[in-house]
Amino acid sequence: MRVEFTRVEQVTALAYGSWPSPITAADLSSAGHPVEGGRFVGHEIWWSEVRPTEQGRTAICRHVDGQVEAILPAPFNARTRVHEYGGGAWTATPNGDLVFAEFSDQRIYRLTPGDAPLPLTPAPAVASSIRYGELSVVGTDVIAVRETHDAGAVTRDIVAIDLGGGGVRSLVSGSNFLAYPRLSPDGSRIAWIAWNHPQMPWDGTELRVASLADPSSWTVLMGSTEESVLQPEWIDDESLYVISDRSGWWNLYSVTLDGAATPVSTLDADFGAPLWQLGARWYTVLDDGTLLTVRTVGTDTLAVLDPVTGTLDDIELDEVTSVGLGGRLGSTVLLRGGGAQVPSGLFAVDLATRELRSVRSSFESIPDVAYLPEGRRVTFRGPEREVHAIAYAPRNPSYEGLDGELPPYVAFVHGGPTAHVAPALNPVFAYFTSRGIGVVDVNYGGSSGYGREYRNRLRGQWGVVDVEDTIAAVRGLADAGLADPNRLAIEGGSAGGWTVLAALTSSDVFACGASYFGVAELEMFVAETHDFESRYIDGLIGPLPEAIDLYRTRAPVNNVDGLSCPVLLLQGLDDPIVPPSQAERFRDAMVEKGIPHAYLTYTGESHGFRKLETQVNARESELSFYGQVMGFTPPGIPELELWRPSS
């Protein structure tokens, strides 16, 4: 739903940052329920959505008589903690029962709509010590990736969970990480993706196949420590499709059981992305043998690929520039998508007619179009390389800046650091731009969506390349006369928070910065973080103990002597990925040096804030912080109290 365009007879000149805006922090959360997936259950469409107004739980929903109905009632929460980032937390049986991982205890439950959920997996001796993800129903079983925590050790295997409550049996194991369990059409073989520490799944993985009669003897068909393979799908009992980046880009291949691989696509484009969440898909096999694909070079393109000729038939999706594949029924495919002027949500596209329709928006309402910024793809030239970004200029139909004034800008630094951003209708950006604060969203070196070489720019250079590229973006805006060079801020979460702190402690470009649950030091981080990322720093900085000096010299907490501007730290107290100790160490270093700052903590929040009250407080605090530092007063925003040396 979108409010009609606002007609304004007169535009008032007012200092950037102090423009009144109808977009509140509460609007960002209370009107939103991020849609995360969609599938057909019979002829019904089911999807999951995060509900900030219900303590951030993930509900499973469908339409009944034109109204949204939660199949999974509160307080149940369909969310898995496998790898802590989850993925594949729910599925459905052919007769319409919901199967899901319950966040509170991580057990698997079966729910007949209208009845109470029944557990399919036993209660572990230690709560949440056994977790399941990437659920799929095959016959009378649920196939899943299982993660077991036992006295500090973490192991994983692929299991079959009996839908009748008859127990859990292990199918394959043999590596630190497993994903994409796929049974062959005749049920005699299983294929999966595997990798070991210190690899991350975008660095190097293997496609393995084994007979279920002897699953301990597997064959590696593709992949290595320098080749990332993803999403195997059986073509028939003797061959599979798979994604590989052996060409420098994630492309599609067919591979036979003797390991003979043939390219299906050969474009300089990524038909894949980093596997942060289990179950991600970038292609699906259609009934006529062609493949529906999503490829990325900056933005996403949906296309039908002919595996025989390699030709692509692109599908126009209006202004949708970010696409994720969901379920399919006949010629209708579900998509998770959005664009610079299209609110994110769940869509359905009819491949026969190419008609696109909205199924469920991620927002009950979105701001008036007059207050939405226009995302503009820009490329900046840094000292060493090109940097891709999206710029969002201030926009408000009632106000303009004072004569001769340039607007402040906030550089948004994504996490990962292998994530990727595209032009998006992001209400958070509108929250700032409607008040006269510009935003630039940066795809620094290390980001995905531009091939393996661009992704590998960060190898051994974390805290260097990401910082240089973000600085190149904001300096590019300032040099073009679009941004005030004295009022530049930087904001990021997780790995993006690391870049925030690294930039602030190694340069004087920014007036201030906000770090959401950011990494501040490395030696304790690798000991305290979760298993999935415990060796990630090997590739980003170097292995221990060889790289211990780099760990110390790169860590922002050790470089606070180079910090001369205020910092805002925001942290969930239940975060297992970047524990609160990271923010606390940086806070203590700022206190010792006398740097003005604020440290905000949130009970019950993990890695990413999900509760309405948290999201409102965090965003209003960030805006107040920028105003205090950069010399403007955002109307109607509570003033954040900063710690100062005299406090």
Side-chain angles (χ1 to χ4, degrees):
M1 172 180 178
R2 177 174 291 173
V3 181
E4 292 297 321
F5 185 88
T6 298
R7 299 182 63 87
V8 177
E9 301 299 329
Q10 184 175 357
V11 176
T12 302
L14 198 63
Y16 287 114
S18 62
W19 299 351
S21 170
I23 305 172
T24 69
D27 292 336
L28 304 182
S29 300
S30 61
H33 40 250
V35 176
E36 296 191 330
R39 68 176 65 235
F40 284 97
V41 180
H43 289 276
E44 292 184 338
I45 296 174
W46 292 11
W47 67 88
S48 63
E49 58 184 57
V50 178
R51 295 188 164 180
T53 57
E54 298 179 17
Q55 298 298 300
R57 81 177 184 104
T58 298
I60 311 302
C61 304
R62 65 182 174 184
H63 281 119
V64 176
D65 297 327
Q67 301 297 314
V68 174
E69 175 188 84
I71 302 165
L72 184 65
F76 290 102
N77 185 356
R79 183 178 167 200
T80 172
R81 290 187 61 184
V82 174
H83 297 178
E84 297 299 347
Y85 294 103
W90 66 280
T91 186
T93 65
N95 68 343
D97 283 358
L98 173 67
V99 179
F100 69 99
E102 163 57 31
F103 183 70
S104 62
D105 60 12
Q106 290 298 290
R107 297 171 71 186
I108 301 300
Y109 289 79
R110 180 173 182 171
L111 168 69
T112 299
D115 293 343
L118 299 175
L120 296 181
T121 57
V126 178
S128 299
S129 61
I130 301 178
R131 308 163 181 184
Y132 305 87
E134 197 169 356
L135 311 181
S136 64
V137 172
V138 180
T140 59
D141 290 324
V142 180
I143 306 300
V145 175
R146 178 172 63 181
E147 179 179 283
T148 302
H149 296 246
D150 184 12
V154 183
T155 58
R156 297 175 183 87
D157 60 349
I158 293 170
V159 300
I161 305 165
D162 183 64
L163 276 167
V168 182
R169 65 185 189 279
S170 180
L171 299 180
V172 295
S173 56
S175 59
N176 296 136
F177 303 96
L178 310 95
Y180 294 111
R182 298 289 190 268
L183 296 186
S184 61
D186 65 5
S188 66
R189 294 185 177 91
I190 184 170
W192 72 100
I193 297 297
W195 69 99
N196 289 303
H197 286 307
Q199 302 301 309
M200 299 301 287
W202 45 89
D203 295 327
T205 59
E206 294 180 346
L207 168 60
R208 297 177 179 177
V209 174
S211 166
L212 284 174
D214 184 16
S216 62
S217 298
W218 64 74
T219 300
V220 177
L221 301 187
M222 289 181 71
S224 69
T225 57
E226 295 296 326
E227 177 187 5
S228 171
V229 291
L230 301 167
Q231 195 192 338
E233 305 288 357
W234 289 93
I235 302 171
D236 51 39
D237 292 326
E238 303 296 326
S239 60
L240 304 96
Y241 289 121
V242 70
I243 298 168
S244 166
D245 70 350
R246 59 174 53 179
S247 70
W249 296 82
W250 272 307
N251 270 262
L252 279 154
Y253 293 78
S254 62
V255 58
T256 58
L257 293 181
D258 61 3
T262 303
V264 177
S265 61
T266 56
L267 294 182
D268 286 350
D270 277 331
F271 291 79
L275 187 64
W276 281 103
Q277 289 190 307
L278 292 173
R281 300 166 62 218
W282 297 274
Y283 72 95
T284 187
V285 182
L286 302 177
D287 293 339
D288 63 0
T290 59
L291 308 178
L292 183 67
T293 64
V294 177
R295 70 182 188 276
T296 307
V297 183
T299 56
D300 294 342
T301 301
L302 185 71
V304 176
L305 171 65
D306 186 328
V308 177
T309 64
T311 58
L312 283 160
D313 177 15
D314 291 349
I315 298 173
E316 177 60 43
L317 295 176
D318 299 325
E319 296 179 340
V320 174
T321 55
S322 296
V323 181
L325 289 178
R328 179 176 69 91
L329 179 64
S331 64
T332 302
V333 178
L334 301 177
L335 308 173
R336 187 188 70 252
Q341 296 297 316
V342 180
S344 63
L346 183 64
F347 298 84
V349 61
D350 188 324
L351 299 180
T353 64
R354 304 296 171 95
E355 178 185 358
L356 182 72
R357 64 180 177 89
S358 175
V359 175
R360 173 66 164 164
S361 174
S362 290
F363 304 95
E364 291 295 337
S365 62
I366 61 172
D368 184 324
V369 66
Y371 296 92
L372 297 176
E374 298 178 351
R376 182 168 61 93
R377 294 173 64 184
V378 290
T379 301
F380 300 100
R381 183 70 200 183
E384 304 291 336
R385 60 200 157 262
E386 286 186 338
V387 182
H388 302 290
I390 301 100
Y392 302 84
R395 188 182 185 201
N396 186 312
S398 301
Y399 299 95
E400 63 184 6
L402 300 176
D403 188 35
E405 182 191 22
L406 290 173
Y409 259 78
V410 180
F412 273 66
V413 186
H414 65 64
T418 60
H420 173 82
V421 293
L425 193 162
N426 188 333
V428 171
F429 295 168
Y431 180 74
F432 289 109
T433 57
S434 64
R435 289 171 165 79
I437 306 164
V439 168
V440 60
D441 211 5
V442 186
N443 277 316
Y444 51 85
S447 303
S448 54
Y450 301 98
R452 187 175 181 109
E453 186 277 330
Y454 198 90
R455 212 166 66 239
N456 283 349
R457 287 181 181 180
L458 215 55
R459 279 198 171 184
Q461 296 297 309
W462 194 35
V464 178
V465 165
D466 47 332
V467 170
E468 292 175 350
D469 287 1
T470 305
I471 289 174
V474 295
R475 279 182 169 162
L477 289 169
D479 291 345
L482 301 174
D484 186 340
N486 297 314
R487 293 195 294 172
L488 300 172
I490 181 172
E491 186 252 48
S494 191
W498 157 277
T499 303
V500 168
L501 300 179
L504 296 179
T505 54
S506 65
S507 77
D508 58 1
V509 173
F510 297 99
C512 59
S515 169
Y516 282 74
F517 37 87
V519 178
E521 69 82 59
L522 296 175
E523 292 176 76
M524 292 303 296
F525 172 74
V526 297
E528 294 172 342
T529 192
H530 64 138
D531 181 62
F532 179 64
E533 293 181 88
S534 63
R535 298 291 302 277
Y536 193 7
I537 310 302
D538 284 34
L540 293 174
I541 304 289
L544 289 175
E546 296 88 341
I548 187 63
D549 290 341
L550 277 179
Y551 277 49
R552 293 169 178 169
T553 57
R554 294 267 184 91
V557 73
N558 295 331
N559 296 318
V560 173
D561 283 345
L563 179 65
S564 58
C565 66
V567 180
L568 172 61
L569 304 174
L570 305 102
Q571 180 69 47
L573 292 179
D574 295 341
D575 192 339
I577 297 172
V578 180
S581 56
Q582 289 286 307
E584 291 163 2
R585 293 185 184 104
F586 199 84
R587 175 206 58 192
D588 293 346
M590 288 193 292
V591 169
E592 185 174 344
K593 194 188 175 187
I595 297 291
H597 68 275
Y599 175 44
L600 305 180
T601 61
Y602 301 100
T603 301
E605 293 286 7
S606 182
H607 200 65
F609 302 154
R610 300 170 72 93
K611 299 178 182 179
L612 172 63
E613 58 271 25
T614 301
Q615 294 174 351
V616 170
N617 180 265
R619 201 58 69 186
E620 289 187 340
S621 297
E622 184 184 352
L623 180 57
S624 172
F625 174 70
Y626 293 150
Q628 292 182 58
V629 175
M630 295 192 285
F632 57 82
T633 302
I637 301 299
E639 183 172 318
L640 172 69
E641 182 178 354
L642 297 182
W643 180 94
R644 300 182 187 278
S646 58
S647 298

